[in-house]
Amino acid sequence: MPPSEDREAERGLRGLVGSGASQVSPTAGMRARDASRPSAAEEAEAMERLVVVRRNWVPREDLPRGGGRPPR
């Protein structure tokens, strides 16, 4: 990239990941979010390789059902 484009790309990246207010427009932020999404192949590979450990997790069906406010 030419130096001026490189500077603009770096400024855009700093606007996304830096501290303080973003200097990137909402549209540019949404494009960056979409560009960083994994492909279907990457997702499939992750599902094969990734081990998810849920500590202290209880299925929603097993949670106690409340009937409103507790008695006084």
Side-chain angles (χ1 to χ4, degrees):
M1 273 196 253
S4 62
E5 284 183 34
D6 193 34
R7 233 178 292 128
E8 283 300 312
E10 184 179 329
R11 180 174 180 258
L13 179 61
R14 276 188 276 122
L16 283 173
V17 298
S19 63
S22 176
Q23 296 180 8
V24 177
S25 71
T27 304
M30 288 188 291
R31 276 197 316 265
R33 179 200 63 203
D34 291 341
S36 69
R37 288 196 177 149
S39 68
E42 291 169 328
E43 250 182 73
E45 180 185 357
M47 292 300 286
E48 288 177 11
R49 298 177 63 191
L50 184 67
V51 176
V52 177
V53 178
R54 293 185 175 112
R55 291 184 168 80
N56 302 319
W57 179 77
V58 178
R60 185 174 288 278
E61 302 83 43
D62 295 345
L63 292 175
R65 305 230 182 251
R69 291 185 177 175
R72 289 184 185 205

